Amino acid sequence: MAKPTSTQSTKQTTKKPSDGSKGSKKKGFNFRKVFIGTIIAGILAIICAMAIYIVVIMSGFKILDSNIDKINASTESTLIYAQEEGKDKNGKDLPATEIAKIYKGENRESVDIKDIPKRLQQAFVATEDRRFYEHSGVDLWSIGRALVKDIIHMSAVEGGSTITQQLAKNVFLSSEKTAFRKGTEMSIAFALDERYSKEDILQRYLNRIFFGSNAYGIKAAAKVYFGKSNLNDLKLWEMATLAALPKAPSRYSPIANPDLSKDRRGVVLKLMADQGYITEAERVEAAAVDYVAPASVSQGTKDYASYVDYVVNEAEDVYGIGEDELLTKGYRIYTAMNRDAQKIMEQTYATPSFSKMMQQMDKKFKAPWSLSITRLGA
């Protein structure tokens, strides 16, 4: 067998790629698939959002329905009046005079929305929830604005709670600051807005919020800070002072901190002017007034204490009204007491000798009473 010579070269065969393929072929951008994927993702996002919305709404209605007694119930102070004798200049009987207020826990008096001046309502709307009449219980625009400010300042500098949310928190929830509590608050607010009118929500809000100095509700606050029972008697600067309180009742109390109260009142008036509720001239005039505390405000039973004690006992013994009910259900008790005669009698009774004699007489006699008792809203 012949061996290859040294001059012979061995052929090495190498496979060359064909002209049509130069490496692996790249896939092109498929716009159609991306478009379809985006549409599907959008639809799924909408479905998820709707599902979450339905769950939130249903959760709010469930909480509202299971606790409906809370939104309708509230403690109410009982007022005791003395019917004045005589006639006014028009020949009408003189109005009864409030001589005492008795309550348990919260000093609260409710008032119907029709008896709350429109401008007073506007003061609270302008300050607490400028889009109150536009949103559905939760103002997403305000929440977004507050979130942006919080991110910029790296802290919670602005809240986004509406009047409806504040009512929901006040009635149904605690004041803890958690995401779950905030979500629950929003769900209840949606339900409240669906179930009640704006006027009803505003009325419940103004009758429930705390104004400091143990005053709950706008009417009790007007009495405490200005000595006025009729809200229509409030002046613009007084309305703005009251609207300034819910943010921080102790800090902005006109009694405790008149300067801070005046500054905060100025903020309220500026908001009212910016939103077209008052003129610039009205703002300037109301902002300049200095607060003077009322000479006397009926908040308890300091005057006519013994008489009030007898009234309470009579209400229980004769009318069968228990003490707890009397202190929380907003009764209006009209008596035939003569204030001047009562003061003289109490001063006389305070002398030791007369007091001893009267104690002996009390064992033998029981004075007749003439009470007229009505329950608020009855």
Side-chain angles (χ1 to χ4, degrees):
M1 186 173 182
K3 294 182 180 179
T5 61
S6 58
T7 58
Q8 287 180 318
S9 61
T10 59
K11 292 183 178 180
Q12 294 181 351
T13 59
T14 58
K15 191 174 182 180
K16 295 182 179 180
S18 61
D19 294 339
S21 63
K22 295 182 179 180
S24 59
K25 188 176 182 180
K26 293 182 179 179
K27 294 183 179 180
F29 179 76
N30 195 324
F31 178 80
R32 183 170 177 272
K33 289 184 177 180
V34 173
F35 178 75
I36 293 174
T38 303
I39 294 296
I40 293 174
I43 293 173
L44 291 175
I46 292 173
I47 293 173
C48 290
M50 290 179 64
I52 293 173
Y53 178 79
I54 292 172
V55 169
V56 168
I57 294 297
M58 294 306 295
S59 173
F61 276 110
K62 184 177 180 180
I63 295 172
L64 181 60
D65 291 337
S66 61
N67 296 276
I68 195 67
D69 57 317
K70 290 185 178 181
I71 193 70
N72 293 324
S74 65
T75 59
E76 183 85 17
S77 301
T78 286
L79 305 181
I80 301 175
Y81 297 90
Q83 183 60 57
E84 299 291 334
E85 296 181 358
K87 306 286 184 180
D88 61 16
K89 61 181 180 180
N90 297 319
K92 296 182 179 180
D93 291 335
L94 291 173
T97 301
E98 180 185 327
I99 61 171
K101 177 188 293 184
I102 55 177
Y103 55 87
K104 180 180 181 180
E106 299 177 355
N107 170 25
R108 186 193 306 277
E109 292 182 54
S110 296
V111 60
D112 194 273
I113 192 69
K114 64 179 174 47
D115 296 320
I116 303 176
K118 196 67 178 178
R119 183 163 280 189
L120 181 56
Q121 298 177 38
Q122 293 168 346
F124 282 88
V125 170
T127 307
E128 297 293 327
D129 187 2
R130 64 186 302 163
R131 298 184 66 248
F132 173 68
Y133 293 104
E134 301 170 22
H135 60 66
S136 299
V138 176
D139 190 354
L140 299 178
W141 174 263
S142 294
I143 291 175
R145 184 183 67 241
L147 184 61
V148 170
K149 288 189 177 182
D150 291 349
I151 293 174
I152 292 174
H153 293 86
M154 299 299 290
S155 64
V157 297
E158 181 175 328
S161 292
T162 64
I163 283 176
T164 315
Q165 286 177 255
Q166 292 180 52
L167 177 62
K169 180 180 70 173
N170 186 281
V171 176
F172 300 102
L173 304 170
S174 67
S175 58
E176 63 174 342
K177 295 183 178 181
T178 63
F180 177 77
R181 202 275 297 160
K182 193 68 175 178
T184 305
E185 173 191 298
M186 293 171 66
S187 69
I188 298 173
F190 277 123
L192 285 171
D193 193 81
E194 182 69 23
R195 187 69 57 82
Y196 299 98
S197 68
K198 292 292 186 181
E199 289 71 22
D200 200 4
I201 291 172
L202 186 58
Q203 174 182 308
R204 293 173 186 273
Y205 168 79
L206 291 175
N207 280 327
R208 281 186 173 271
I209 54 176
F210 180 55
F211 286 88
S213 298
N214 199 34
Y216 290 80
I218 189 67
K219 188 167 185 177
K223 281 188 175 183
V224 167
Y225 293 110
F226 303 109
K228 296 183 177 181
S229 300
N230 189 339
L231 298 180
N232 288 292
D233 293 337
L234 291 171
K235 298 177 181 178
L236 175 59
W237 74 270
E238 294 171 327
M239 295 179 183
T241 300
L242 292 175
L245 285 166
K247 183 178 178 66
S250 298
R251 178 177 175 81
Y252 297 121
S253 167
I255 297 174
N257 300 300
D259 292 336
L260 289 176
S261 173
K262 189 175 182 180
D263 291 343
R264 177 64 180 167
R265 183 211 311 166
V267 173
V268 173
L269 291 167
K270 180 68 165 57
L271 289 170
M272 293 182 72
D274 290 346
Q275 295 172 46
Y277 293 128
I278 61 175
T279 65
E280 179 62 17
E282 288 176 317
R283 183 195 71 80
V284 173
E285 181 182 0
V289 180
D290 291 323
Y291 174 79
V292 178
S296 62
V297 179
S298 175
Q299 293 192 65
T301 59
K302 293 182 180 179
D303 296 329
Y304 318 112
S306 59
Y307 190 90
V308 170
D309 288 341
Y310 275 115
V311 169
V312 172
N313 291 334
E314 188 77 1
E316 184 171 0
D317 295 341
V318 177
Y319 293 89
I321 303 173
E323 181 180 347
D324 189 71
E325 181 180 355
L326 190 65
L327 297 179
T328 60
K329 298 303 181 182
Y331 283 94
R332 300 297 182 258
I333 302 177
Y334 295 86
T335 74
M337 185 190 81
N338 182 299
R339 290 188 296 162
D340 294 332
Q342 182 68 23
K343 285 183 179 179
I344 294 173
M345 188 190 75
E346 290 188 355
Q347 291 170 0
T348 304
Y349 195 93
T351 60
S353 59
F354 190 82
S355 177
K356 184 177 181 180
M357 180 184 71
M358 289 300 297
Q359 288 174 4
Q360 293 174 347
M361 291 180 64
D362 281 345
K363 296 178 181 179
K364 297 182 179 181
F365 304 101
K366 182 174 178 64
W369 282 81
S370 176
L371 298 182
S372 173
I373 302 180
T374 60
R375 180 175 170 182
L376 195 66

